[in-house]
């Protein structure tokens, strides 16, 4: 078990809940005012960013619960890939929704790629985990 990943995952899950509520109660009305032509698409992007933030916050909690037999490198690689993915995917989507900086959208696929690589690292780490008791 890795306490740091658990704390980080919990903090990110809390942020996901906060961004979801913020998006519904505060951001949605402002987007209708600021960007009337595409406000609903922006609201959808905000919701997707919040959802993927939450999914991967929980995944980081799972990383924190992995036993030592999985190996430190695999655990940390998986956690860092999820963390980078959250920043690039969710962070850039949040930023785009609020600022209309279209250049931020260019980084979103890289965040998705980090999520995919994180899940691959997770699967490989678990597959080749040392099965001897510690």
């Amino acid at each position: 078990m890795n306490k740091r990943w658990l704390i980080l995952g919990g903090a990110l899950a809390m942020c996901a809940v906060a961004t979801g509520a913020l998006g519904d109660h505060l951001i949605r009305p402002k987007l209708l005012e600021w960007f009337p032509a595409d406000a609903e698409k922006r609201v959808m992007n905000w919701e997707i960013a919040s959802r993927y933030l939450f999914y991967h916050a929980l995944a980081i909690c799972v990383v924190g619960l992995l036993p030592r037999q999985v190996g430190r490198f695999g655990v940390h690689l998986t956690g860092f890939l999820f963390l980078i993915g959250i920043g690039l995917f969710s962070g850039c989507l949040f930023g785009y929704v609020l600022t209309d900086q279209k250049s931020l959208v260019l980084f979103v696929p890289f965040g998705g790629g980090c999520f995919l690589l994180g899940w691959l690292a997770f699967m490989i780490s678990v597959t080749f985990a040392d099965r001897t008791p510690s």
Side-chain angles (χ1 to χ4, degrees):
M1 185 173 84
N2 190 312
K3 197 186 246 187
R4 288 185 184 133
W5 287 116
L6 286 169
I7 293 168
L8 180 61
L12 289 169
M14 185 176 69
C15 288
V17 172
T19 59
L22 185 70
D24 194 44
H25 300 294
L26 181 66
I27 301 297
R28 180 187 304 260
K30 290 295 183 188
L31 291 176
L32 291 168
E33 177 186 326
W34 296 338
F35 307 105
D38 66 344
E40 287 307 313
K41 183 176 181 183
R42 288 172 187 272
V43 168
M44 183 180 71
N45 284 334
W46 187 276
E47 290 171 353
I48 289 169
S50 293
R51 190 176 328 130
Y52 274 74
L53 172 56
F54 191 69
Y55 294 156
H56 290 88
L58 292 179
I60 288 173
C61 288
V62 169
V63 165
L65 292 173
L66 290 173
R68 290 184 181 183
Q69 290 89 340
V70 171
R72 292 177 70 184
F73 177 76
V75 167
H76 292 308
L77 177 62
T78 300
F80 282 121
L81 285 167
F82 287 154
L83 189 57
I84 293 166
I86 288 170
L88 290 174
F89 186 90
S90 295
C92 287
L93 270 181
F94 289 138
Y96 164 70
V97 167
L98 294 175
T99 67
D100 199 34
Q101 292 293 319
K102 292 181 179 34
S103 60
L104 290 172
V105 178
L106 299 173
F107 295 98
V108 172
F110 294 105
C114 287
F115 288 151
L116 292 171
L117 290 172
W119 286 111
L120 179 63
F122 174 81
M123 291 184 300
I124 290 170
S125 297
V126 171
T127 299
F128 295 105
D130 179 18
R131 289 176 174 56
T132 57
S134 56

